Amino acid sequence: MKAKFLVPLFLFLLLVLFLGFGLGLNPREVPSPLIDKPAPAFSLARLDDPARELGLADMKGQVFLLNVWASWCVACRQEHPVLVALAKQNAVPILGLNYKEVRGDGGIDMRKIPADQEVPMAIARAKQWLTEHGDPYDVTVLDIEGRVGIDFGVYGVPETFLIDKKGVIRYKHIGPVTPAALRDTILPKVAALNAEA
Amino acid sequence: MRRLLLALGLSLFALAAAAGTAVPAVADPVLEARVLKLSEVLRCLVCQNQSIAESNADLAQDLRAQVREQLGAGKSEDQVIDYMVARYGDFVLYEPPVRLSTVLLWAGPATLAVVGVGVLLMRLRRRNREAAPGLDDAQRARARALLDGKDDSGAQA
């Protein structure tokens, strides 16, 4: 008879357990289906020399980070010092993917920008931002229209992909890279991937 | 009254006019209808409780443009959905696919309903069986008196 009174309490505790677990999850972190799949091929203009393009093939044979950023992205500003510090350690090359530098900026009315002005504007803005905040990237490429971003399943900047020597995406970090994420997850993975043949 | 009706009519007209401006001028209404239909089953990853048809987030606009472009190029609805799932995962589908990992999601509510109704029926049946024993004759007489309003022993409400 006494046990019967405990049933609702037990159910309630079970519910609390589930809800507590749910609170700990981050709904913004959508697992990427691209993990352990070959990175989508791309070939984009380099920021330092827009006449030349850089593609995934140029990065083959090395483990590297692909960091998606834009000057209008506030959280990128937050993670940037972490990346600059990482670049100084020379632990892993970082490829910058500048994502929709001009058209992604909510403050810009694209109807007022002549079509041929978007690329020069993007280059100027990206360069200025890197001069101001430091440039941790070995190379930055320009994804003006955000096409490559869609191929990579980017849905919020910043995002960081860890790509192995064979060009396979092995890990994705969503949101700003923190020193803790770098120390506990990303750098150990880099070391493990560098040890792979 | 007539003035009220007029006001009502005018406001309805205004609503219709506002709705009219929301429809974009498109060259191919058939394609646009397909784009809209498909956009309604694709989730926007930025504002996660909206479809890319409803959302005005940058990404939703880009994805709508992708849908339009690919359908326009002759791809089928399924091919476009595969394209989205390959990049954003099952999460991009508003209606999750039936898989081993989603069985609970699909079958859960129905299972709970069946179990709930079952338990309720069992309890009701048991309660009927264990119904209170019948009244004796004196109680029955008093009840009848109460129902007929002839009771004079109880306090008047």
Side-chain angles (χ1 to χ4, degrees):
Chain A
M1 192 62 204
K2 222 176 205 175
K4 220 172 179 182
F5 284 105
L6 291 178
V7 169
L9 181 68
F10 175 73
L11 286 177
F12 173 71
L13 286 180
L14 199 71
L15 194 68
V16 166
L17 207 71
F18 271 116
L19 292 178
F21 179 70
L23 270 182
L25 297 175
N26 183 357
R28 293 256 149 226
E29 283 186 17
V30 180
S32 172
L34 289 167
I35 306 293
D36 291 330
K37 300 253 170 67
F42 62 85
S43 191
L44 292 170
R46 299 165 61 119
L47 179 62
D48 56 353
D49 184 2
R52 276 167 64 206
E53 292 200 336
L54 182 107
L56 193 63
D58 300 312
M59 301 301 287
K60 277 254 165 87
Q62 52 183 337
V63 177
F64 70 100
L65 291 177
L66 177 88
N67 177 248
V68 186
W69 69 280
S71 73
W72 44 260
C73 151
V74 180
C76 298
R77 209 160 293 187
Q78 188 186 336
E79 77 171 355
H80 207 68
V82 180
L83 294 179
V84 171
L86 175 67
K88 284 204 181 112
Q89 294 173 33
N90 273 327
V92 56
I94 312 173
L95 178 66
L97 179 76
N98 178 282
Y99 177 72
K100 294 171 71 174
E101 177 60 45
V102 176
R103 64 178 68 185
D105 188 337
I108 294 182
D109 185 352
M110 285 309 290
R111 284 167 299 188
K112 290 184 184 150
I113 310 249
D116 58 341
Q117 281 307 299
E118 188 176 3
V119 176
M121 213 173 141
I123 292 171
R125 282 166 52 111
K127 278 192 173 159
Q128 200 209 331
W129 198 78
L130 290 178
T131 315
E132 256 171 56
H133 298 92
D135 184 356
Y137 306 111
D138 292 72
V139 183
T140 292
V141 291
L142 296 162
D143 183 16
I144 300 286
E145 297 171 3
R147 279 298 172 91
V148 175
I150 291 181
D151 281 341
F152 272 85
V154 170
Y155 63 90
V157 207
E159 292 184 13
T160 306
F161 296 83
L162 175 58
I163 298 173
D164 73 7
K165 292 177 187 170
K166 291 175 188 145
V168 175
I169 297 177
R170 300 299 286 267
Y171 181 70
K172 177 182 181 181
H173 182 93
I174 296 163
V177 173
T178 57
L182 209 54
R183 184 185 63 234
D184 299 336
T185 315
I186 298 176
L187 284 178
K189 278 182 192 289
V190 168
L193 291 179
N194 268 323
E196 278 182 9
Chain B
M1 188 63 201
R2 187 172 293 176
R3 206 174 274 181
L4 189 72
L5 272 177
L6 187 67
L8 203 70
L10 279 178
S11 64
L12 279 176
F13 183 73
L15 266 179
T21 58
V23 178
V26 281
D28 186 351
V30 181
L31 173 69
E32 211 53 31
R34 284 175 72 202
V35 169
L36 187 66
K37 198 156 175 246
L38 192 54
S39 299
E40 278 167 355
V41 300
L42 294 172
R43 185 197 296 270
C44 172
L45 284 100
V46 180
C47 17
Q48 300 182 339
N49 287 328
Q50 284 186 311
S51 70
I52 63 169
E54 298 159 329
S55 173
N56 251 330
D58 246 24
L59 182 73
Q61 293 180 17
D62 286 359
L63 292 182
R64 275 203 302 270
Q66 277 290 327
V67 170
R68 183 173 299 118
E69 191 183 310
Q70 296 195 10
L71 287 180
K75 288 200 179 170
S76 74
E77 266 78 357
D78 283 346
Q79 279 172 315
V80 177
I81 286 180
D82 288 347
Y83 170 93
M84 293 295 172
V85 170
R87 283 158 182 76
Y88 294 102
D90 285 344
F91 192 83
V92 80
L93 302 176
Y94 234 118
E95 206 164 274
V98 185
R99 299 233 169 111
L100 204 60
S101 58
T102 56
V103 161
L104 196 64
L105 185 68
W106 280 103
T111 315
L112 273 181
V114 168
V115 169
V117 169
V119 168
L120 185 70
L121 282 180
M122 260 166 56
R123 299 201 74 155
L124 285 179
R125 210 167 283 172
R126 194 188 305 164
R127 189 191 288 177
N128 277 348
R129 231 182 291 134
E130 293 169 2
L135 305 173
D136 61 35
D137 284 345
Q139 283 169 322
R140 223 179 275 273
R142 183 160 142 64
R144 188 157 298 132
L146 276 171
L147 285 170
D148 293 344
K150 290 180 195 152
D151 178 53
D152 49 358
S153 63
Q156 293 293 323

